[in-house]
């Protein structure tokens, strides 16, 4: 006779499935909707707050070094996440890159730029929290976002040794399936893909989605103001003043 599963286990399993669907199939859509709609509304209603709120006048040296390292690292990390997670598996196969090779590349490149970003962000966190003038000019949201970014980066770095425990790339393929299911609005497939991945990846995703949720209400909106037109503008013509 087949062994009967206790009702308590059924209840626990259903509860975990519901929580998994809520956090990884519903919450991402909520967070990304707030991210996009909230950014549009803020731009429409509060354009004068669409800025970084620089504290350069209060302290310059640490800001310059920390900001430089942080931005180099975070831009490379975001680009890597975008390409690595959203490029279909068939494309990698066509390029002759197996999942295990892709994982090694992600660990190496991500680790390198992650350390650069970590050094820069550590400088910025220390500056924000220990410099009295900078701290006095900071809002609660400024400090909250900075610490959340710090925690998110640490989780990402922790995921590297976790990834080294399964170099076949199977876990990475699940994360790719989750991300691609989200952008194609397939919530059920997203929940199924991520159900049994390591808790570190799940925490990393949840915190990332929460940053998207808070994005329109923080200084992070300045990301939308990348001066792309600056690189396409005509050269400024400067004429010497004629001597009299």
């Amino acid at each position: 006779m087949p062994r009967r599963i206790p009702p308590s286990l059924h209840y626990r399993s259903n509860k975990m499935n519901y929580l998994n669907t809520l956090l990884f199939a519903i919450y991402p859509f909520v967070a990304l909707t707030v991210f996009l709609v909230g950014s549009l509304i803020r731009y429409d209603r509060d354009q004068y707050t669409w800025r970084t709120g620089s504290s350069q006048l209060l302290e310059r040296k640490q800001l310059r070094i920390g900001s430089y390292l942080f931005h180099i690292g975070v831009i490379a990390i975001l680009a890597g996440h975008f390409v690595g997670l959203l490029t279909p598996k068939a494309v990698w196969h066509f390029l002759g890159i197996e999942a295990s090779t892709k994982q090694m590349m992600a660990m190496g490149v991500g680790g390198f730029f992650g350390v650069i970003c970590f050094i820069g962000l550590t400088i910025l966190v220390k500056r924000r929290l220990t410099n009295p003038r900078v701290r006095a000019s900071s809002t609660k949201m400024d400090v909250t976002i900075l610490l959340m970014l710090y925690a998110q980066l640490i989780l990402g770095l922790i995921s590297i040794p976790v990834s080294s425990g399964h170099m076949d790339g199977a876990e990475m393929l699940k994360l790719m399936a989750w991300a691609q299911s989200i952008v194609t609005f397939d919530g059920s497939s997203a929940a199924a893909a991520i159900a049994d991945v390591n808790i570190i990846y799940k925490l990393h995703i949840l915190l990332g989605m929460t940053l998207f949720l808070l994005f329109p209400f923080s200084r992070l909106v300045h990301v939308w103001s990348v001066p792309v037109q600056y690189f396409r503008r005509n050269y400024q013509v400067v004429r010497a003043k004629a001597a009299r």
Side-chain angles (χ1 to χ4, degrees):
M1 293 179 62
R3 185 178 178 182
R4 183 179 179 184
I5 301 177
S8 59
L9 292 181
H10 276 297
Y11 173 76
R12 186 180 304 174
S13 177
N14 291 336
K15 185 177 180 180
M16 292 303 296
N17 288 336
Y18 173 77
L19 187 62
N20 184 71
T21 300
L22 177 65
L23 295 179
F24 301 105
I26 298 176
Y27 182 54
F29 291 124
V30 173
L32 293 174
T33 299
V34 173
F35 166 69
L36 293 173
V37 176
S39 296
L40 289 172
I41 292 175
R42 181 168 176 179
Y43 181 76
D44 182 60
R45 299 183 59 180
D46 297 300
Q47 293 186 26
Y48 289 108
T49 67
W50 198 271
R51 55 189 175 85
T52 61
S54 175
S55 56
Q56 183 176 354
L57 293 176
L58 304 178
E59 193 282 326
R60 181 173 300 180
K61 184 178 179 180
Q62 290 184 357
L63 176 63
R64 183 174 64 252
I65 298 173
S67 181
Y68 182 72
L69 293 174
F70 168 71
H71 282 91
I72 287 177
V74 78
I75 290 172
I77 290 170
L78 290 175
H81 277 63
F82 184 83
V83 174
L85 292 175
L86 298 182
T87 302
K89 181 181 176 181
V91 174
W92 294 108
H93 184 71
F94 175 77
L95 295 174
I97 301 176
E98 299 296 330
S100 57
T101 305
K102 179 178 178 293
Q103 179 168 319
M104 290 182 63
M105 292 169 53
M107 291 170 61
V109 177
F112 175 76
F113 285 104
V115 170
I116 292 176
C117 189
F118 179 79
I119 294 172
L121 194 53
T122 299
I123 294 172
L124 295 178
V125 169
K126 178 179 179 295
R127 174 181 178 272
R128 180 72 61 178
L129 298 181
T130 62
N131 187 304
R133 299 175 67 194
V134 176
R135 182 64 187 269
S137 69
S138 304
T139 66
K140 290 182 180 179
M141 181 61 78
D142 294 337
V143 176
T144 298
I145 291 295
L146 193 61
L147 293 178
M148 287 179 66
L149 287 171
Y150 202 44
Q152 180 72 339
L153 180 58
I154 291 172
L155 284 172
L157 291 172
I158 292 174
S159 72
I160 295 176
V162 173
S163 297
S164 65
H166 42 80
M167 294 301 296
D168 58 352
E171 202 89 333
M172 181 192 62
L173 292 176
K174 296 176 184 178
L175 296 172
M176 289 172 58
W178 172 82
Q180 292 169 26
S181 295
I182 290 295
V183 298
T184 54
F185 305 101
D186 188 354
S188 58
S189 295
I194 204 171
D196 58 349
V197 302
N198 191 285
I199 186 65
I200 291 296
Y201 302 119
K202 290 185 175 183
L203 291 175
H204 192 55
I205 288 172
L206 282 177
L207 189 52
M209 289 299 106
T210 303
L211 284 167
F212 276 115
L213 185 73
L214 296 177
F215 183 97
F217 313 105
S218 70
R219 296 185 187 186
L220 290 177
V221 292
H222 80 276
V223 172
W224 291 119
S225 301
V226 177
V228 177
Q229 293 182 349
Y230 174 84
F231 299 101
R232 298 181 300 176
R233 83 196 198 292
N234 294 326
Y235 288 104
Q236 183 178 1
V237 179
V238 180
R239 295 183 176 88
K241 187 176 181 179
R244 294 183 179 180

